[in-house]
Every structure is written in C-alpha cells, then in structure tokens.
Amino acid sequence: MSGLPRITLELRDRSYDIEVGVESLGRIGECLAPILKGKKIALITDPVVEPLYGARVRESLTGAGFSVSQVIVPAGEKHKNLGELERVHEELASARIERSSTLIALGGGVIGDLTGFAAASFLRGIDVVQVPTTLLAQVDSSIGGKTGVNLRAGKNLVGAFHQPRFVLADVGTLASLPVRELRAGIAEVVKYGVILSPKLFELLENEAESILNLDRDILADVVHQCAAAKARVVMEDEREGGLRAILNFGHTLGHAVEAMTEYSRFLHGEAVAIGMVFAARLSAARHGFPAPDVARMAALLKRFGLPITIPEELDRADLARAVETDKKRQSDRVKFVCVEAIGRTRFELLSTNEIEDSLRAT
Ligand code: NAD
Ligand code: GLY
C-alpha cells in the first residue's frame, strides 16, 4: 500500500471509496469482502490486461471467498459498442449472475465504460467495481459513474449514470502501459492542475521526469490528487448540471480534432492537450489569463511529449463547424471552459464564427 488515505465520494446511499495504492491489486478481495452484497463476481477485462493482472485479481477474490466468472471483451474503442454489450449480457446470464452479484471492470476506460453500462442495465442494475489500469481510467473514467457505449453516430451516445461501489487504482499497473498511452493520460492530469489545483500544476512541473520514469510514490500522489479533485466535482454536481462541465476543459476542441482526424491520428489525451492550449489562448485573449501561464502550460505538455498545436492542414472553418456539432452546444452557441487563472475556471458561450476567428488567431 502507498499509505494514502482513502477518498470517500459522498452521494448519500450511493457513496463509495476510492483507494489509490502501489501494488495493491492483490488487496481487492479483502477490500470488497465487507462491502459487497453477494459472493458472485463476474470479472470483465480484455485480452491485453487479462494475462498481466487477471490471475492476481482472481486469486485475491477467491481467497476472500468470492466465486469468480470471467468475460473477455476485445481491446479497443471500436469494441465499446452495443454488439459487445449484448455478448457480455448473454455471458452474464450463462454465468447465472444475479441481482446480488457484482461486475468488476479490470482495464482502461473502454472496459470501465462498457462494464459500468452492462452493470447499469443487467437485471435492471447490479453493482459494479472499477479497477482501472490506465492512467486515464485511474484519474478520470473510473470515478463519477458515467458509463456507456458508442453508436456509429457518435461516441458515448448510449449510457447511464451508474456509480461504482468501490474503485481500486493500483499505480503499479501503469508500468506495463505503452508510453504513448501513459503520456495521453498525463494530459488529463495536467487538466486537473489547470482547472482546479495550482499545487498539482506545480508538482507536475517539478516532477515531470519522475512521473515519466514511473516513480511510484509520486505517481500515487498525483493519481490520488486527481481522483480527489474529480470526486469533489462529482459530489457537487453528479449529473453535469453545472460545475462538472469544467472537466471538459480542452475537450471541446479536442473532440473536434479527434473527429476531423478520423480518430486515428491522435489518442484522446493528445487531442485534449491541443484543445487545452487553444482554450488557454482563448482565455488569455478574452479573460486575462496571463500569457506566461499559457506558456507554462504549453511547455509542461511538451515536456510530457504531448502535441500542443492544431495541425496546419485542418481547415479552420471545418474545425469550427466540427466544434459546433459537439454535444455541449447550447442553442446556437458552444460552451467553452476557459481559465482566468491556474485553478480558476469560467464558462464562455461562443458562436461558430467566433470559434473560427479564434482558431485563425491562435
Ligand atoms: P483503453 O481502455 O482503450 O486502453 C488503452 C489500451 O491499453 C487498451 O489496448 C488496453 O488493453 C491497454 N491497457 C489497459 N491497461 C493496461 C496496462 N496496465 N498495461 C498494458 N496495457 C494496458 O483506453 P483509455 O484511455 O483507458 O480509455 C478511453 C475510454 O475512456 C474512451 O472510451 C473514453 O470515452 C472513456 N472515458 C470515459 C470517461 C467517463 O467518465 N466514463 C472519462 C474519460 C474517458
Ligand atoms: N470525464 C468527464 C466527466 O466524468 O464528467
């Protein structure tokens, strides 16, 4: 264990704990024994993660008296779909998963989102536990209860809010993560620093090399700070009626860049890095976000090997239109998250023409 205190995400009868640790996967059984209703668990994972961590998790669960069946979902975003969801449901039925049973999502955000939605919908809703193994999933997707799958028409269009019963993030699992995935996850970490925590931002500036070298104690501290920050936001605004939308900082343009490059050129976190620098420049132009802080942000993202500029070849008018199709649109304007200072955000509604002008100016 890293000795970090558990984070409690308080939502009345749906409250849960988040444990961030080092080499703590083997504790999952003892963590769950006191809190789960029944003894049957279905472990949902993918063919990359299963050989790395499946046995450790299964042994811990059986050691704590649980019976465990397993469902493997192919790795990758293209499998986060209704076809796979149906297959998971059928396998859960074959394994006689009951109302008192629990699903465990062991993997990245794809497994977490799909498993969370399978749990939200199977037998009208059963418990789910998140065991995230990517940095993005540890700091973001495993916390807060957004679950779902993609349609051909767009990402995450079918889903439900379904909070987990427990989250266990073992930063030891990040050692096997491809470095590009790690860096993409770091973009979301930088996001928390920029929107919520000057202290975290400074820690990232001071410890960038240690983070890239996977110093476990520093990673655990960073993941813990991000998880605590996300928990605070979700406690205040579970259903994204207001505050939670600040987590979309950098995402409005990021999604458009991902879509215009057909989801093949950039990982999500890389597109978010580009989006954050754009949002910071926009904030400098409109809300007095200090230019030196824009430079600090861009320099930090660059040190983490992340892209910071919009590809030249993306036509700015097309990009502005792609931003406009984002689901965070309000009437004919798009809601951007801006920053007034590191750690302080505000929302801004922009028309397509204003977005295009800003894209040309930055
Ligand atoms: P991912 O789940 O596709 O994982 C990336 C790759 O890493 C996969 O091939 C996976 O098999 C592999 N992998 C996972 N853990 C590993 C490990 N420890 N070692 C080696 N390989 C490992 O990608 P992701 O970035 O974790 O998640 C992206 C998904 O998360 C998207 O579908 C996105 O929509 C979703 N998301 C959801 C929320 C939310 O609030 N629910 C928030 C952000 C993102
Ligand atoms: N990833 C954004 C949210 O959970 O709201």
Side-chain angles (χ1 to χ4, degrees):
M1 264 187 89
S2 64
L4 291 163
R6 276 190 181 180
I7 298 154
T8 300
L9 197 157
E10 280 170 19
L11 290 169
R12 297 169 301 282
D13 58 333
R14 290 171 299 111
S15 300
Y16 55 95
D17 280 355
I18 301 159
E19 182 169 311
V20 178
V22 178
E23 296 304 339
S24 53
L25 268 192
R27 283 176 31 77
I28 186 74
E30 64 178 275
C31 291
L32 297 186
I35 57 173
L36 297 188
K37 291 194 284 267
K39 285 288 171 197
K40 267 191 188 177
I41 283 177
L43 181 65
I44 322 281
T45 186
D46 74 29
V48 179
V49 176
E50 198 285 328
L52 294 166
Y53 305 113
R56 216 181 302 168
V57 169
R58 280 193 308 275
E59 275 160 28
S60 172
L61 292 168
T62 50
F66 292 105
S67 74
V68 185
S69 52
Q70 183 164 285
V71 182
I72 304 282
V73 176
E77 185 72 35
K78 71 173 189 287
H79 299 288
K80 201 177 98 174
N81 60 31
L82 287 169
E84 277 305 319
L85 179 75
E86 182 182 8
R87 204 179 59 74
V88 169
H89 281 155
E90 294 291 355
E91 291 208 28
L92 297 177
S94 302
R96 300 191 180 283
I97 292 299
E98 302 158 358
R99 291 295 292 274
S100 62
S101 308
T102 298
L103 305 190
I104 295 185
L106 174 67
V110 164
I111 289 295
D113 280 10
L114 181 89
T115 305
F117 190 45
S121 47
F122 192 69
L123 302 178
R124 299 194 180 85
I126 63 172
D127 283 345
V128 65
V129 166
Q130 295 282 349
V131 183
T133 61
T134 64
L135 183 57
L136 177 133
Q138 294 186 351
V139 300
D140 189 358
S141 61
S142 64
I143 301 161
K146 281 188 183 175
T147 72
V149 295
N150 304 328
L151 295 182
R152 273 190 293 276
K155 281 183 70 172
N156 301 321
L157 289 184
V158 177
F161 282 96
H162 189 59
Q163 300 292 342
R165 287 288 289 119
F166 187 73
V167 180
L168 185 139
D170 175 355
V171 298
T173 60
L174 304 180
S176 54
L177 202 59
V179 69
R180 192 172 166 205
E181 293 284 350
L182 180 81
R183 289 168 191 262
I186 291 173
E188 299 283 355
V189 171
V190 172
K191 176 190 82 177
Y192 286 110
V194 175
I195 61 172
L196 287 164
S197 173
K199 176 176 146 237
L200 173 61
F201 191 87
E202 275 171 32
L203 176 72
L204 298 174
E205 288 184 313
N206 294 333
E207 299 291 356
E209 271 61 47
S210 312
I211 292 166
L212 286 170
N213 291 329
L214 295 174
D215 178 308
R216 289 165 172 223
D217 290 333
I218 290 171
L219 264 179
D221 181 16
V222 164
V223 170
H224 189 268
Q225 287 195 41
C226 294
K230 176 141 188 193
R232 282 197 303 277
V233 171
V234 172
M235 281 191 279
E236 204 164 309
D237 177 23
E238 183 187 5
R239 300 273 169 146
E240 203 169 310
L243 178 75
R244 187 164 174 168
I246 65 170
L247 300 175
N248 296 324
F249 179 66
H251 286 57
T252 316
L253 182 73
H255 286 152
V257 168
E258 276 184 283
M260 278 194 67
T261 50
E262 276 147 23
Y263 297 95
S264 54
R265 175 158 170 195
F266 296 110
L267 294 177
H268 174 69
E270 294 169 342
V272 167
I274 294 170
M276 287 195 291
V277 175
F278 171 70
R281 294 201 172 120
L282 187 73
S283 305
R286 289 174 171 255
H287 304 295
F289 183 56
D293 285 340
V294 180
R296 272 173 80 194
M297 250 185 76
L300 183 60
L301 292 165
K302 225 171 145 189
R303 273 171 80 191
F304 284 123
L306 288 159
I308 53 170
T309 48
I310 304 167
E312 278 299 315
E313 63 277 18
L314 294 188
D315 181 82
R316 281 9 188 197
D318 291 346
L319 196 51
R321 272 192 296 276
V323 168
E324 205 220 329
T325 62
D326 190 89
K327 60 180 182 290
K328 275 94 198 169
R329 191 152 55 100
Q330 281 187 359
S331 63
D332 62 341
R333 294 183 162 242
V334 176
K335 190 174 183 178
F336 265 86
V337 185
C338 289
V339 267
E340 292 174 333
I342 289 180
R344 200 168 75 238
T345 51
R346 63 174 287 161
F347 294 115
E348 164 98 50
L349 292 174
L350 292 181
S351 68
T352 310
N353 283 344
E354 287 170 318
I355 296 167
E356 188 181 332
D357 289 347
S358 303
L359 285 167
R360 291 189 194 286
T362 53

